[in-house]
């Protein structure tokens, strides 16, 4: 099985802004703070510039280290978007 980028881009979760992934794609380039739930009661947050949004992941450039961090979409609980 091979990966077809065009098929991935046709996924409605990336195009229809009624889906969180598609809405976040409209915010690429903005500063965000993302709160993640790890396990049952541990919250951590990451802050940076939103670079990419996929079906099951996002990529941010952290403000503190300038490193790219890929994050699991399904552990995200809150996203703060700075204008």
């Amino acid at each position: 099985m091979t990966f077809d980028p065009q098929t991935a881009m046709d996924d409605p979760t990336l195009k229809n802004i009624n889906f969180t992934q598609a809405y976040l794609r409209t915010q690429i380039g903005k500063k965000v703070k993302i709160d993640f739930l790890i396990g049952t009661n541990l919250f951590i947050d990451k802050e940076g510039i939103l670079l990419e949004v996929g079906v099951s992941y996002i990529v941010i450039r952290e403000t503190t280290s300038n490193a790219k961090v890929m994050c699991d979409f399904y552990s995200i609980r809150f996203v703060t978007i700075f204008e």
Side-chain angles (χ1 to χ4, degrees):
M1 184 172 183
T2 60
F3 174 73
D4 179 8
Q6 184 57 43
T7 303
M9 287 307 298
D10 290 338
D11 190 321
T13 60
L14 295 176
K15 291 184 141 187
N16 182 340
I17 63 166
N18 290 318
F19 292 97
T20 306
Q21 292 93 328
Y23 174 75
L24 285 176
R25 287 174 64 88
T26 68
Q27 304 303 306
I28 288 175
K30 292 185 178 176
K31 183 178 177 182
V32 295
K33 178 181 163 229
I34 303 172
D35 295 295
F36 298 90
L37 178 61
I38 308 300
T40 57
N41 64 355
L42 176 64
F43 273 92
I44 63 166
D45 62 63
K46 297 283 184 181
E47 198 169 305
I49 304 299
L50 184 61
L51 298 178
E52 297 177 43
V53 179
V55 173
S56 64
Y57 70 93
I58 63 167
V59 178
I60 63 170
R61 179 174 308 279
E62 284 190 310
T63 52
T64 55
S65 66
N66 208 31
K68 287 183 183 178
V69 179
M70 185 173 76
C71 309
D72 172 37
F73 192 83
Y74 299 106
S75 60
I76 295 173
R77 291 298 170 257
F78 303 101
V79 177
T80 303
I81 302 165
F82 300 96
E83 294 295 327

